[in-house]
Amino acid sequence: DARASRADPARVVADGARAGHRHLVVAWIPPEDRTSLEDWQSWADSLNRLGEACRAADLRCAYHNHDFEFRPIDGPPGEGGVTPWELLQARCDPSLVAFEIDTYWVQHAGLDPAELVARAPDRFPLCHLKDRAADGSMAILGEGETDFAAVLAARGPNGFEQCYAELDNPVSPFGFAATAEAALSGILQANQTCPA
């Protein structure tokens, strides 16, 4: 919970450590808490504080993107202005705050997830592998347009620390897991530059 991590980072970290987590990920910031440049600056500072608390407990702090981080804060896309993503990248200390890329949401914002990872691979230890269909909807992994081999290769020879195959609200969660596993196995076998 973003608000809890901001209000009491020490408690959130202690709870995470007790649960055996290696990473604490801020996965969503409520819309009413991210309406201005100042809001995003404050969130970046909060992430740095959470990152400090994580480091003291031998954990790692990360932030999970959606598409809204890639829209300019002070205007519509394509009209210039700073994006929350740029602000977070610049203001979050790389030694304290990592990023968990969600491939679907990056594409939904009109960007290439492989290119985004390739710009700063060390900042992305975590990855949500979520496929995107041509019509913009979420797709079963391997049935959409996402070039997962390129995303995996962009992280470099050591690969991501953790990857998660994801689909919001699948009809059959276990069916999706089996399909995703088969698709990823094929990607890894076909592309020797991807981590095993």
Side-chain angles (χ1 to χ4, degrees):
D1 178 275
R3 290 177 177 164
S5 71
R6 172 185 258 180
D8 193 353
R11 182 188 61 77
V12 170
V13 168
D15 290 348
R18 261 194 308 279
H21 295 308
R22 290 174 35 207
H23 297 89
L24 292 185
V25 180
V26 174
W28 173 259
I29 296 173
E32 61 273 19
D33 292 349
R34 51 176 165 86
T35 62
S36 68
L37 180 66
E38 291 75 21
D39 285 345
W40 282 106
Q41 289 170 334
S42 178
W43 278 110
D45 295 343
S46 294
L47 286 166
N48 284 328
R49 285 190 296 276
L50 180 62
E52 288 172 353
C54 282
R55 182 164 60 187
D58 200 26
L59 300 176
R60 186 118 191 246
C61 167
Y63 180 81
H64 177 288
N65 70 273
H66 290 82
D67 59 342
F68 55 79
E69 291 90 352
F70 301 99
R71 292 187 206 118
I73 296 166
D74 54 359
E79 293 190 9
V82 155
T83 66
W85 184 257
E86 292 165 333
L87 189 149
L88 291 172
Q89 293 287 298
R91 197 167 176 117
C92 290
D93 182 337
S95 71
L96 298 174
V97 180
F99 293 89
E100 178 178 65
I101 188 169
D102 185 305
T103 58
Y104 170 84
W105 289 115
V106 171
Q107 286 182 280
H108 205 64
L111 301 170
D112 179 348
E115 183 182 301
L116 196 70
V117 172
R119 287 183 207 161
D122 291 342
R123 296 201 81 174
F124 295 97
L126 309 173
C127 181
H128 275 204
L129 300 169
K130 189 188 301 183
D131 217 340
R132 186 173 188 272
D135 66 2
S137 64
M138 292 180 190
I140 292 173
L141 198 144
E143 296 182 8
E145 300 183 324
T146 306
D147 185 350
F148 291 112
V151 174
L152 294 169
R155 174 73 166 120
N158 295 325
F160 290 95
E161 291 176 31
Q162 294 177 356
C163 286
Y164 307 91
E166 183 181 21
L167 177 64
D168 293 7
N169 306 311
V171 173
S172 167
F174 292 109
F176 168 72
T179 302
E181 181 180 25
L184 285 174
S185 293
I187 291 166
L188 294 174
Q189 289 172 3
N191 187 335
Q192 297 302 312
T193 64
C194 294

